[in-house]
Amino acid sequence: MKFIDTIKNIWKIEELKNRILVTLGLLLVYRLGAQVVLPGIDASKLASLGSQTQDGLLGLLNAFTGGAFANASVFALGIMPYISASIVVQLMGIAIPYLQKLQKEGESGRKKINQITRWLTIAITLIQGPGYIYNLFATLPASAFSTEISQTVFVVSSVIIISTGCIFAMWLGEKITDKGIGNGISLLIMVGIIATLPQSFVQNFSSRVSGEGGDMIMVLIELVIWFVIILASVLLVMAVRQIPVQYARRTAGGGYEKNVFGSRQYIPLKLNASGVMPIIFAQAIMFVPVAVAGLSDSETSQGVVAAFSDIFGFWYNLVFALLIIIFTYFYTAITVPTNKMADDLKRSGGFIPGIRPGSETSEYLDKIMSQITLPGSIFLALIAIFPAIAVKLLNVQQGWALFFGGTSLLIMVGVAIDTMQQVNSYLLNRHYDGLMKTGKNRKAVA
């Protein structure tokens, strides 16, 4: 079989094999850490915390941490503070000249930005840590906590441990990126999400077949729909609009030959250039109404809390979808530098047929990006809210419904494709067929 041959080829490349083993080893360390309960808590009395995180916003957070949130683990916050810090630094880079300068300094600037992100991550964990600990006090019975240490000592020590756990998870992610294969931070999130998938499927399967006569047909229908959504997510991640570019061939005299003799290439503009970032931005904003309304006891505030605490409700998903569309345009505008693309194209002697180099090219690329961003953002919003559709129309259990779209599925698909492409590049460089193509070993070209 070609797949088995590809696996053998991967094992023949010593560097690739070592990187894969390092990645698997560090991911195993992360998963083991997610099972280590905070000192001073009785692990046998976490049932109430588990029931609190079965649905709603806390259920979503628990899925991202691979169940560590519900386990009161040393990795309870997972890698999410680092993600929040990265988002904040990216947004500040738009308005703060110092960060804009660092972004243009290449590798040295990137290292300084990473250092700023790390310090901001520590600050965020020191804010979120006490909130998580006091939630444990409000949720767990008093008998779950050790009586041998005072509450103050427990809070301080637990916040330090949780913060250290987040920093250690961040370090694991960076080591995977440097010494392993794929993007380490993204892989940690993906592994956490995948860790809750089997349990969610088994619970949904049990609920389907436990009734009188069972309902295996619905289980099969759900699996078919799930695979269709995965396929749609892959298409969304991979889809590009190719803009033809003509490069005039340079002559021996230093000039350019006629355009018809130049080589034609393409500028690939992605349908979803912003990835999952609009969903992450929108998800962060959706916490705000609940937090603000929770400060008041009025009837209106309680209605807002009820509406925005239900992640499968109508109003939550309507606002969520609109925010995703808005943030998709926003993030695409700041991450796709059409002006720089036009300048680089002009300097390299390239042009888009029928479009003048310079400002006209920039305007044309900006127009094309606006045109493809609209369907891309709508498609992204539909995939993001599909878990709510699955719950309402198919009566899918909420834990399993989270894998029918949204951030969870898009992260899984995006990270899997990125990792496969990196493995693919190693294989092709050694003249083997890649993961995405079959055939005999490639011959080296002289």
Side-chain angles (χ1 to χ4, degrees):
M1 293 177 64
K2 298 301 181 183
F3 178 75
I4 296 177
D5 291 338
T6 302
I7 298 299
K8 291 180 179 178
N9 292 336
I10 290 175
W11 222 244
K12 290 177 184 177
I13 304 173
E14 192 68 22
E15 181 185 359
L16 179 58
K17 180 180 71 173
N18 292 337
R19 283 182 172 271
I20 291 176
L21 291 176
V22 167
T23 301
L24 294 176
L26 294 178
L27 290 177
L28 179 61
V29 171
Y30 179 70
R31 289 305 305 152
L32 290 175
Q35 311 305 317
V36 179
V37 180
L38 287 170
I41 296 180
D42 187 349
S44 64
K45 297 182 179 180
L46 295 174
S48 55
L49 183 61
S51 60
Q52 183 194 43
T53 56
Q54 284 184 351
D55 49 35
L57 293 175
L58 291 182
L60 192 63
L61 181 59
N62 187 53
F64 285 162
T65 59
F69 189 94
N71 290 339
S73 162
V74 294
F75 288 157
L77 298 180
I79 204 68
M80 299 313 293
Y82 179 79
I83 299 297
S84 301
S86 300
I87 292 173
V88 171
V89 170
Q90 284 186 7
L91 292 177
M92 289 194 303
I94 304 172
I96 300 179
Y98 175 70
L99 291 177
Q100 293 176 354
K101 180 182 176 183
L102 291 180
Q103 291 173 350
K104 298 177 182 178
E105 289 182 359
E107 184 64 21
S108 62
R110 187 182 66 82
K111 289 181 179 179
K112 292 179 181 178
I113 290 176
N114 287 341
Q115 194 64 26
I116 293 172
T117 305
R118 294 188 189 105
W119 284 109
L120 185 57
T121 300
I122 295 174
I124 292 175
T125 58
L126 293 177
I127 295 173
Q128 293 182 349
Y132 177 76
I133 300 302
Y134 284 112
N135 177 66
L136 294 182
F137 284 125
T139 305
L140 299 178
S143 58
F145 300 94
S146 173
T147 57
E148 297 179 1
I149 56 176
S150 66
Q151 180 173 324
T152 302
V153 173
F154 174 77
V155 171
V156 173
S157 62
S158 296
V159 169
I160 293 174
I161 292 172
I162 288 177
S163 300
T164 304
C166 178
I167 296 168
F168 181 64
M170 177 178 65
W171 179 83
L172 287 176
E174 292 179 349
K175 284 301 175 184
I176 290 174
T177 302
D178 293 338
K179 306 293 185 181
I181 195 81
N183 183 289
I185 301 297
S186 299
L187 279 171
L188 292 182
I189 298 175
M190 186 187 77
V191 168
I193 292 171
I194 291 177
T196 60
L197 190 151
Q199 181 183 0
S200 299
F201 174 74
V202 170
Q203 290 176 349
N204 183 75
F205 179 82
S206 300
S207 67
R208 288 293 190 191
V209 300
S210 60
E212 185 177 348
D215 199 356
M216 283 298 298
I217 297 298
M218 280 306 301
V219 174
L220 293 175
I221 291 174
E222 288 173 6
L223 288 175
V224 170
I225 294 175
W226 185 50
F227 282 116
V228 170
I229 294 298
I230 291 176
L231 178 60
S233 300
V234 172
L235 292 175
L236 178 63
V237 172
M238 301 291 289
V240 295
R241 166 75 180 273
Q242 291 185 333
I243 306 297
V245 176
Q246 194 81 16
Y247 286 94
R249 197 177 348 175
R250 189 180 293 273
T251 64
Y256 289 97
E257 291 182 355
K258 290 184 178 181
N259 299 333
V260 294
F261 297 110
S263 58
R264 180 180 290 271
Q265 297 181 15
Y266 296 91
I267 298 177
L269 298 180
K270 298 188 71 172
L271 179 68
N272 180 33
S274 53
V276 297
M277 295 309 294
I279 297 183
I280 295 176
F281 281 176
Q283 206 98 65
I285 296 297
M286 295 304 292
F287 283 95
V288 175
V290 177
V292 174
L295 300 176
S296 174
D297 294 329
S298 66
E299 186 175 339
T300 302
S301 298
Q302 295 306 311
V304 171
V305 171
F308 285 89
S309 295
D310 181 11
I311 63 173
F312 300 102
F314 173 78
W315 289 109
Y316 179 96
N317 284 278
L318 177 62
V319 176
F320 188 38
L322 292 175
L323 286 175
I324 288 172
I325 294 173
I326 293 171
F327 279 124
T328 300
Y329 272 96
F330 168 74
Y331 200 78
T332 301
I334 64 174
T335 56
V336 182
T338 53
N339 290 334
K340 185 176 182 299
M341 292 167 64
D343 291 340
D344 292 343
L345 195 62
K346 185 178 181 180
R347 280 196 295 268
S348 61
F351 64 94
I352 299 173
I355 307 296
R356 291 184 178 180
S359 60
E360 283 193 20
T361 298
S362 176
E363 292 172 1
Y364 177 77
L365 292 175
D366 192 56
K367 177 184 175 182
I368 296 296
M369 281 305 306
S370 299
Q371 290 175 346
I372 65 176
T373 298
L374 178 60
S377 64
I378 294 175
F379 196 14
L380 184 64
L382 287 175
I383 292 180
I385 66 173
F386 197 83
I389 299 174
V391 169
K392 301 299 181 182
L393 298 184
L394 301 176
N395 197 28
V396 177
Q397 279 205 341
Q398 293 188 4
W400 174 234
L402 290 176
F403 295 96
F404 274 73
T407 318
S408 301
L409 187 62
L410 285 170
I411 287 176
M412 289 167 57
V413 170
V415 175
I417 290 175
D418 178 61
T419 305
M420 287 177 63
Q421 288 175 341
Q422 290 196 30
V423 174
N424 206 50
S425 65
Y426 273 94
L427 291 171
L428 295 179
N429 285 338
R430 298 303 193 281
H431 311 295
Y432 291 112
D433 279 319
L435 284 170
M436 303 177 184
K437 195 171 184 177
T438 58
K440 297 181 179 180
N441 289 1
R442 298 176 184 273
K443 302 297 183 182
V445 180

